[in-house]
Structures are given as C-alpha cells and as structure tokens.
Amino acid sequence: MSLWIPITLAAAFFQTLRFVLQKKLATTQLSAAGATFARFLYSAPLVAVLAYAYFQTTGQERPPLTAAFWLYGAFGGLAQVLATVCVVLLFKARNFAVGITFKKTEVIQTVLVGWVLLGEGVSLPGFGAIALGLFGVLLLSAPPDLVRWGLRDLANRAAGLGLLSGILFAVSGVCYRGASLQLPLEDPLARAGLTLACVTAMQLVGMAVWLRLREAGQMTAVWRARRVAVWIGLTSLLGSFCWFTAFTLQNVAYVNALGQVELIFSLMATVLFFRERVSLREWAGMAVLGASILTLVLVI
C-alpha cells in the first residue's frame, strides 16, 4: 500500500474527531469563536516546538521568510479561522454530517473560482460533476422539516454558512500552498512544518486579540474547558500534519478524492455519537454531493 493512503485516511479521521470536539464545546460551553480559538491555543506551541526540533535534528537551517510568505500565510490563516467559525455555527443549525458535507463543497468552489477568475479550463465531465454537486447542495439547503419547498426556502442561514465555509477553506488551501512554495527547502516535511508553525502562531495571536476585545470571557472559558479543548489542539495538529504530508507524497486530486471518506466518518459521528436524526432528503443530498466531489477530483 502506498504511504499516502493511510496518511490521508488518518488526516480525515483526525479532522472529523476535531470537529466532533468543537461541536461538543460550541453547544455546551464555548462560543463559535471560542471553540475555534481552542484549536490554536493548544496546538500552536506544540507545532512550534516540533518544527524547531525537526530542524535541529536534521541539521537544516531555517530559510529567510519573505514578505510573500507572510502575506500568503496571513490570508490563508484568516480564511481558515473564518471558515472554521462558519462550520461551528453551522453545527448549531444543522446536524453534524450535513455541516461536514457543506464544508466539502470547497472542492467544487475551488474549481469554479479558478475558472471564473483565472480562466482555467474545465472539461465537460468537470462541468457535469459541478452540476451534480449543485443539485446535491439544493437537496441539503432547505431546512430538514420542510416537506415541500421552493427556491425561497433554499436561501437560509445554514446554507449560507455552509457555502461560505467552503469558499474560505478553498482560499486557505491555495494560500497555504503559495506560502510553502516560497520556502527554498528540498525537504517537504520541513517546508510543511515551518509553514504550519508560522501560520498557527499568527492565528493564535490574532484570535487572542479578537477575543480579548470582543469576547473577553471566552479566553477564560477555553482554559476552563481545557480537559476537552486540549484534544482539539492535538487532533488539529495531527490532522494538519497528515494533510500536509499527503499532499507532498501524492497528487492533490487523488488525496482529495480519498479524503471524501470524511463524509462517512461524519455520518458515523452523527448517528452514533450525537444521536442526531438524518432525514431521507439529507441522506440523498449527501450522497449526491459526495458523488459529485469524488467525480470532480478524479477528472480535473
């Protein structure tokens, strides 16, 4: 078995587990921003220590960090923070599996943004996969208690949060790749580790300032919830490292395709952990959207 396969499966598992913990805290003890901050508070210091230790152990020198590196990293970090907040807010409006499925629209939206803004070609099968994905989004967008629904029912807060999270995650992924490409390092693990350490440090500082000014009590609440919150940081660290490593070992399209196993993990968490009901239309929407995403990443 190629090494990238178990690493990608581990990345999807850790990411699902992290969102499970964030949903648990966001619905009981923390705000959406507080649950997001917990991820960086308990992972950024550890990432920095591990990156430093890796450079020392391998005898590599840290390259100069250019303005372009910091710019890409800052925009990517901000987009990821906002996207995570959107997903946590979405968990309060819809069940866990639907929230994760909406997040996965980032694959479709990345292709669409590249086509509209950069003029990058999309094949006919690609357009077909996108159209199928849009149908899946329509099935998921309406509130689950609606039996008959029209276009007006699709314009709701949950759908908006889901699609916005997908756009922001797509932007963060592009920016992170842009940042890592600014580093003149041959070792992909060193490049990934240094980028991750710098980005999470910026996210930690930025969110701490925001919470101090706008939600001061949340910083204390995150500390009080540390018995659970610390695991958010650890699963975030493990998930991010696995994604970065998988992208260095295999084509991004194949990694994203296998990464759709996160939808299965999310369904298991929804039914077995949160005991949430999934409507027949939601099952259908998730199946259609998952098929669309899988098709798209295989044909691009």
Side-chain angles (χ1 to χ4, degrees):
M1 180 185 295
S2 298
L3 185 59
W4 72 273
I5 295 177
I7 290 177
T8 301
L9 293 176
F13 174 78
F14 286 129
Q15 183 161 285
T16 302
L17 184 56
R18 188 247 299 174
F19 276 122
V20 165
L21 295 171
Q22 285 182 308
K23 175 179 171 68
K24 178 179 175 62
L25 287 184
T27 54
T28 56
Q29 302 178 55
L30 304 177
S31 68
T36 302
F37 176 66
R39 170 186 180 180
F40 306 115
L41 177 63
Y42 295 107
S43 66
L46 185 56
V47 171
V49 170
L50 291 177
Y52 176 79
Y54 185 79
F55 272 86
Q56 291 296 110
T57 302
T58 57
Q60 300 182 71
E61 292 187 6
R62 181 183 64 80
L65 304 179
T66 65
F69 171 84
W70 289 110
L71 193 61
Y72 274 120
F75 274 108
L78 176 61
Q80 186 182 41
V81 167
L82 295 176
T84 304
V85 170
C86 287
V87 172
V88 175
L89 287 172
L90 180 57
F91 288 153
K92 296 183 178 183
R94 301 290 290 274
N95 68 55
F96 182 76
V98 170
I100 294 298
T101 305
F102 264 125
K103 172 193 170 294
K104 283 296 183 181
T105 61
E106 66 183 283
V107 179
I108 296 175
Q109 296 186 68
T110 300
V111 176
L112 287 175
V113 169
W115 174 55
V116 173
L117 297 182
L118 304 178
E120 296 176 336
V122 180
S123 65
L124 187 59
F127 272 116
I130 291 172
L132 183 63
L134 293 177
F135 179 66
V137 170
L138 291 179
L139 288 175
L140 286 173
S141 296
D145 54 344
L146 283 182
V147 178
R148 299 179 61 184
W149 45 276
L151 292 178
R152 182 174 298 179
D153 298 315
L154 306 181
N156 56 72
R157 183 170 181 266
L161 287 171
L163 295 176
L164 180 59
S165 72
I167 293 175
L168 291 169
F169 273 121
V171 170
S172 70
V174 172
C175 288
Y176 287 160
R177 176 167 174 77
S180 65
L181 292 177
Q182 303 302 311
L183 300 175
L185 291 169
E186 295 295 331
D187 184 349
L189 295 182
R191 191 165 61 243
L194 182 56
T195 303
L196 188 61
C198 293
V199 169
T200 53
M202 286 191 289
Q203 289 170 321
L204 173 61
V205 174
M207 287 218 69
V209 172
W210 170 265
L211 290 179
R212 184 68 181 86
L213 296 176
R214 303 300 297 269
E215 300 181 44
Q218 280 300 301
M219 296 186 71
T220 302
V222 170
W223 176 248
R224 289 174 178 170
R226 60 188 177 277
R227 290 187 177 181
V228 175
V230 69
W231 293 105
I232 294 178
L234 291 176
T235 53
S236 173
L237 168 63
L238 293 170
S240 296
F241 183 76
C242 287
W243 283 123
F244 271 77
T245 304
F247 288 143
T248 65
L249 296 174
Q250 183 54 271
N251 184 291
V252 174
Y254 291 126
V255 174
N256 283 336
L258 183 58
Q260 303 315 309
V261 72
E262 186 182 354
L263 299 177
I264 298 176
F265 292 153
S266 69
L267 281 171
M268 294 172 62
T270 296
V271 176
L272 300 178
F273 185 79
F274 293 112
R275 306 291 182 181
E276 296 173 322
R277 186 179 68 87
V278 182
S279 70
L280 182 60
R281 178 164 48 77
E282 288 175 334
W283 279 107
M286 287 185 288
V288 170
L289 188 56
S292 164
I293 294 170
L294 183 59
T295 302
L296 183 62
V297 297
L298 290 177
V299 301
I300 57 176

